[in-house]
Amino acid sequence: MSTTPHSSSFPTKMGITTSHTPKYVVTFALALQLVFLLMGSSSAQLSTSFYSKTCPKLLRIVRSGVQSAIAKETRMGASLLRLHFHDCFVNGCDGSILLDDTATFRGEQTAPPNNRSVRGFDVIKAIKSSVEKACPSVVSCADILTLTARDSVNILGGPTWEVKLGRRDSKTASFSAASSGVIPPPSSTLANLINRFSAKGLSTKDMVALSGAHTIGLARCTSFRNRIYNESNIDASFAKLRQRSCPRRGGDDNLAPLDVATPKLFDNYYYKNLLNQKGLLHSDQVLHNDGSTDSLVEQYSKNDKIFDADFVTAMIKMGDIQPLTGSKGEIRKVCSKPN
């Protein structure tokens, strides 16, 4: 909401000229501007109780869908968490990653960071269908995606938190934006990780904490081949173990756990692995390689409570990246296509 009409018309109504405005009127006018500014910003804020009246069963429906999916395939928890991350880093948390290609735009699913690697679309589709039956055209796909990320972490043994809701869905997606490098690749340097997260308003601490999501899930051979054959800051026995299922040529889609110790549990063993040079991706091990983030990795490896707290803080901040609210965007009826 613009404050200009209010601030310019107020003195005229009082019959006061701009050159002789009493201080108390100026102060009151400034206070009035502040009220309107706050009103404008609060209408665009997310809220943990956004659907409490319009879709009271939402949280139960989403969690049930996530539990069912993880019961069928544990890996799905990590996939849903990653889907949320890849959505938020491309033009904000707007559900754009869920959109299929159309005649008017090429979507994000075949962009290099996502192609043949992002998954979980059928799970989101099923949950959205259940939500639509309970509350038609009320809950956005972007919010469902955010909730599934939280529930995945918690179901696999990690912390839980209240999720701010009220995002709306984008009407388009961008292959070019998803391909532009905003999502750091597994070959990233520490500097690139810090810069990419900083560009989204996330601190270095947020980045290191969010990297702990790699305590669950699997990675494709093509994403860690160079590390296990050509890098020196890697435990020799660990490199040999991974080489068994990831040959120098071929086998690109062969999978390995990102956390060699407890791959199906959300815990702090990811950081303990880094201390022992058992980070699977180059972008994992750079977090503990005589650099500025070593101390954070060491702290998280020793104290899972601090890791959990910092992870939750970072997840909430990530969920706040450029949401569409108010009258922006739409509430898709089907997550894979605009209305």
Side-chain angles (χ1 to χ4, degrees), residues 244-299:
R244 292 176 193 169
S245 58
C246 182
R248 288 183 182 273
R249 292 182 180 81
D252 284 3
D253 292 334
N254 293 352
L255 300 171
L258 286 156
D259 176 351
V260 67
T262 56
K264 296 181 179 181
L265 283 177
F266 193 98
D267 55 24
N268 65 338
Y269 269 82
Y270 167 80
Y271 300 102
K272 296 181 182 184
N273 295 334
L274 298 184
L275 298 187
N276 295 316
Q277 295 191 320
K278 293 182 179 180
L280 183 63
L281 307 179
H282 177 85
S283 57
D284 290 327
Q285 196 59 57
V286 294
L287 300 181
H288 194 269
N289 192 43
D290 296 327
S292 60
T293 55
D294 282 16
S295 59
L296 266 174
V297 170
E298 290 159 15
Q299 183 181 44

Side-chain angles (χ1 to χ4, degrees), residues 302-315:
K302 296 172 186 174
N303 194 320
D304 58 345
K305 297 289 191 296
I306 293 177
F307 162 55
D308 284 351
D310 287 353
F311 181 82
V312 166
T313 297
M315 283 294 290

